Amino acid sequence: MEDVESVGSCSPCNSMMHNESFVHTQDKTQHFQGSPELKTSRGKMTMALLLVSYGLANFAFFGIAVDLVVFLRQVLHQENAEAANSVSMWMGTVYIFSLFGAFLSDSYMGRYITCIMFQFIFIVGLMLLSLSSWFLLVEPPGCGDGGGLRQCAAPSRRGIAVFYLSIYMAAFGNGGYQPSVATFGADQFDDADPGERRSKQAFFCLFYLSLNVGSLFSNSVLVFFEDRGNWVVGFWVSTAAATLALVLFLLGTPRYRQVRPAGNPLTRIAQVFVAAYHKRDIVPPPGDHLHEVDGEGSAIRGVGKLAHSDQLRFLDKAATATEEDYHSGNAKNPWRLCTVTQVEEAKCVVSMLPIWICTIVYSVEFTQMSSLFVEQGAAMDTNIFGLFKVPAASMSVFDVAGVLVTLAFSHYVLVPAAARLTKNPRGVGELKRMGTGLVIALLGMVAAAVVEVHRLRRRQSVAGASGRAMSVLWQAPQYALIGASEVFMYVGQLEFFNVQSPDGVKSLGSSLCMASISLGNYASMVIVSAINGVTSRRRSGGGTAGWIPAELDRGHLDRFFITLAVLSAVDLVVFIVFARMFKGIKLELEGIGSSPQDDHIYIV
């Protein structure tokens, strides 16, 4: 599998010179990143504030997400498969909104304003959820507990409508906020300083750690309130946490480094393909004879020039100047003639897409923690050592534990050992980490299937006799394995897309990581419905309701998990193929920007 360490600081997907990324500083003056005015980075001073704010926002988000499947079953009276699909649809929508937030951030609003706007929308959604649960849904008060001891009244149409409006408003706010805050945090570090680059690499690990710490408190505190029917209290606590997160984010305003929005990246990429299509019959000249503007800055606002690469050469046609361009006045029309920087930006996005597509199957496995893992746990014995009862959703603390242990192991053991062996300070490359995450997630699905096989056998053996069902603690390995896989997959993926994305589309690059989670949730919904439908029809004569029925004891959830493991194995093979094909080409640092590009343009 191809390493990508070599493309971290010298990829054509980054600026030609590290000091060519424009930023706004506190005095509102535009500087080059790495200039003397910004030599002392504000990254470390603002990182702690951003991480605490982000952790609180995730505490609020997971306060809804971790037990949503139980709320849908107990309060809205949905069946198991329907509730699982509803959660998948909602989670998918959360992350699909990240594309919209990234687009606004990169194009028009900037990351700072985008973070504030979407956090505010998130808070409004949480307030509406709290109010609708208080006055319309949780009736009588305290109903809808995880044990099913206090039944809720059937919800009204108005209550259901307000509920879905509120959770999808929260999805819109949180989804739009996520990619912008990830890139905004990375913006606080100066890539021109080697020490700052190392701090930036550590930021991505700490960023994901902050997410999981927020999740941990939701799973270990809020879930107990909600599992006892105190849904309103749990939702109001989430609202307060999200509000505090916004306040802390605003407190750091005087110290933030803010990168200027670079305009609509989708239009720029479309222009490259349109221009290349119009010149499809032309053979492009060598890279140093392609069209580029004079000076150090590129034609893209706030973005430094990108060096030419030999990948996807057919797109170089868009930067090939012709006699027609100059005689018909198209020399300044980007739909007919693009710059090298614009073409390389499009190349970078296109070359990342196969890697991104391969991460979607992983997200199908990841989303099972908030749906079918919870339903599996609810069918098990949730009395821990006969001392106290825990909500099935609280088993996700083992997911967080897996994340924390793996992060520590990776930072203190794996990366230093790999760095000594490879002589590369970054240790293991992003693509290798992502492949490792796929393997570990596959093992997590196998573990879940094994647990389900034994759960069904145990349930059959104690049916009609005195005995206890299988303890929910047996789910710990599958949660821990998924948690360990997250560190390799999502941290590696987040860093990969941020490093490989040009300055003008960095938030869009970060949103690809979240968009894969979104599509994974949608794919999970389709797979669950399809498999349940096929197995129900095939075995309808036997009186069963498919692999995932309302009563899991009559189904075969183990076969569903094995199916996901097989899909993951196929996806792993495809990922390895694309990862080996992915090439990070080193940047030409000598003499870049030293002479006007127009002197070297070759007219076809």
Side-chain angles (χ1 to χ4, degrees):
M1 197 177 297
E2 189 73 24
D3 281 329
V4 293
E5 292 93 350
S6 61
V7 296
S9 60
C10 55
S11 170
C13 300
N14 291 307
S15 296
M16 292 178 69
M17 300 180 67
H18 285 301
N19 64 349
E20 290 186 347
S21 180
F22 291 100
V23 297
H24 283 303
T25 55
Q26 188 176 3
D27 60 2
K28 310 299 182 182
T29 303
Q30 177 179 295
H31 296 280
F32 286 114
Q33 197 170 8
S35 63
E37 294 87 346
L38 293 177
K39 189 64 178 177
T40 303
S41 172
R42 298 182 175 91
K44 293 182 179 179
M45 297 191 298
T46 58
M47 183 169 65
L49 195 60
L50 283 173
L51 291 175
V52 173
S53 173
Y54 183 66
L56 285 169
N58 280 283
F59 171 78
F61 173 73
F62 285 105
I64 305 173
V66 71
D67 232 11
L68 181 60
V69 69
V70 177
F71 186 90
L72 293 171
R73 285 194 293 107
Q74 300 292 358
V75 179
L76 298 189
H77 303 290
Q78 294 185 3
E79 297 292 339
N80 282 330
E82 182 185 6
N85 282 342
S86 295
V87 172
S88 295
M89 174 69 80
W90 180 73
M91 291 289 290
T93 304
V94 170
Y95 295 112
I96 206 67
F97 281 139
S98 67
L99 293 173
F100 181 71
F103 172 77
L104 289 181
S105 175
D106 284 334
S107 304
Y108 304 112
M109 298 176 59
R111 289 149 198 164
Y112 174 75
I113 297 298
T114 303
C115 286
I116 294 175
M117 183 185 77
F118 281 102
Q119 282 188 86
F120 180 77
I121 294 173
F122 181 48
I123 293 170
V124 173
L126 289 175
M127 292 181 64
L128 190 58
L129 174 63
S130 303
L131 292 171
S132 63
S133 300
W134 191 1
F135 293 109
L136 299 175
L137 294 174
V138 184
E139 297 179 357
C143 70
D145 59 294
L149 300 178
R150 290 167 289 180
Q151 296 294 322
C152 288
S156 64
R157 290 184 178 180
R158 182 177 62 175
I160 293 176
V162 176
F163 168 76
Y164 278 111
L165 173 63
S166 64
I167 63 170
Y168 278 95
M169 181 178 290
F172 182 60
N174 187 264
Y177 160 73
Q178 291 279 349
S180 300
V181 72
T183 311
F184 184 72
D187 288 341
Q188 307 309 309
F189 300 93
D190 187 356
D191 283 334
D193 188 318
E196 289 290 310
R197 287 201 299 270
R198 288 191 294 271
S199 297
K200 184 176 179 178
Q201 294 165 16
F203 168 78
F204 288 111
C205 287
L206 294 174
F207 183 81
Y208 201 74
L209 175 64
S210 178
L211 182 154
N212 281 274
V213 169
S215 172
L216 175 63
F217 281 101
S218 295
N219 297 346
S220 58
V221 178
L222 286 187
V223 71
F224 281 91
F225 283 97
E226 296 168 355
D227 195 64
R228 285 158 176 75
N230 296 318
W231 297 100
V232 175
V233 174
F235 293 153
W236 277 117
V237 171
S238 291
T239 304
T243 304
L244 181 58
L246 177 57
V247 171
L248 290 178
F249 182 87
L250 292 172
L251 287 178
T253 298
R255 294 184 177 274
Y256 291 145
R257 174 186 289 146
Q258 300 180 37
V259 176
R260 295 175 57 185
N264 189 341
L266 301 181
T267 300
R268 294 197 302 270
I269 294 172
Q271 288 169 344
V272 171
F273 280 91
V274 170
Y277 175 78
H278 280 287
K279 299 175 181 178
R280 59 191 178 277
D281 297 326
I282 293 176
V283 178
D288 56 350
H289 293 300
L290 296 173
H291 175 65
E292 184 57 279
V293 297
D294 290 337
E296 295 180 334
S298 72
I300 304 173
R301 182 181 60 189
V303 175
K305 290 181 180 177
L306 306 181
H308 176 264
S309 68
D310 289 328
Q311 60 183 348
L312 301 174
R313 283 279 292 167
F314 69 93
L315 291 180
D316 286 345
K317 299 174 188 289
T320 301
T322 66
E323 292 285 353
E324 181 184 357
D325 290 328
Y326 283 94
H327 288 103
S328 61
N330 287 332
K332 295 185 178 180
N333 181 358
W335 293 97
R336 291 294 183 269
L337 181 62
C338 303
T339 63
V340 171
T341 296
Q342 188 175 346
V343 170
E344 290 303 317
E345 183 182 62
K347 285 183 181 181
C348 291
V349 174
V350 172
S351 64
M352 290 189 296
L353 289 181
I355 301 294
W356 172 71
I357 291 172
C358 290
T359 65
I360 295 173
V361 172
Y362 171 83
S363 296
V364 174
E365 298 170 310
F366 173 76
T367 193
Q368 303 312 313
M369 288 195 303
S370 59
S371 55
L372 291 181
F373 278 18
V374 177
E375 293 183 3
Q376 181 189 43
M380 302 172 76
D381 181 11
T382 56
N383 282 301
I384 304 301
F385 307 121
L387 300 177
F388 57 94
K389 186 176 181 179
V390 299
S394 68
M395 290 302 294
S396 55
V397 299
F398 289 100
D399 164 65
V400 180
V403 169
L404 299 180
V405 171
T406 307
L407 275 173
F409 173 78
S410 177
H411 182 72
Y412 292 107
V413 179
L414 180 61
V415 171
R420 285 193 296 269
L421 291 175
T422 63
K423 307 302 181 182
N424 189 315
R426 300 185 68 180
V428 182
E430 289 90 350
L431 290 177
K432 287 183 178 178
R433 279 185 272 161
M434 292 163 66
T436 302
L438 288 174
V439 173
I440 298 175
L442 188 156
L443 297 177
M445 288 298 104
V446 173
V450 170
V451 168
E452 183 64 11
V453 168
H454 286 280
R455 187 193 72 80
L456 290 174
R457 289 178 180 175
R458 181 70 176 270
R459 181 70 74 177
Q460 293 170 0
S461 66
V462 301
S466 60
R468 295 177 59 187
M470 190 174 180
S471 173
V472 74
L473 288 177
W474 285 102
Q475 282 193 308
Q478 66 199 58
Y479 275 102
L481 284 169
I482 296 297
S485 72
E486 291 176 52
V487 174
F488 291 100
M489 172 54 77
Y490 284 138
V491 176
Q493 188 180 2
L494 187 64
E495 187 172 348
F496 172 77
F497 287 127
N498 186 274
V499 167
Q500 296 300 317
S501 299
D503 290 337
V505 291
K506 281 197 176 292
S507 292
L508 183 63
S510 297
S511 72
L512 288 178
C513 176
M514 296 155 196
S516 74
I517 302 176
S518 173
L519 294 180
N521 278 272
Y522 291 140
S524 175
M525 181 181 64
V526 172
I527 293 171
V528 168
S529 297
I531 288 180
N532 216 33
V534 170
T535 55
S536 296
R537 286 196 299 270
R538 186 173 59 186
R539 304 189 59 184
S540 59
T544 63
W547 289 357
I548 314 173
E551 297 180 19
L552 289 184
D553 294 345
R554 298 174 58 204
H556 280 286
L557 192 57
D558 54 320
R559 297 177 184 176
F560 176 78
F561 290 142
I562 287 296
T563 301
L564 291 187
V566 172
L567 287 175
S568 181
V570 174
D571 182 62
L572 175 63
V573 174
V574 177
F575 175 82
I576 291 174
V577 172
F578 282 121
R580 293 182 66 86
M581 291 172 57
F582 186 88
K583 302 294 182 182
I585 301 175
K586 292 186 177 182
L587 197 64
E588 296 178 7
L589 294 178
E590 296 294 336
I592 288 179
S594 59
S595 61
Q597 287 285 342
D598 286 344
D599 292 344
H600 305 287
I601 291 178
Y602 181 80
I603 308 298
V604 176

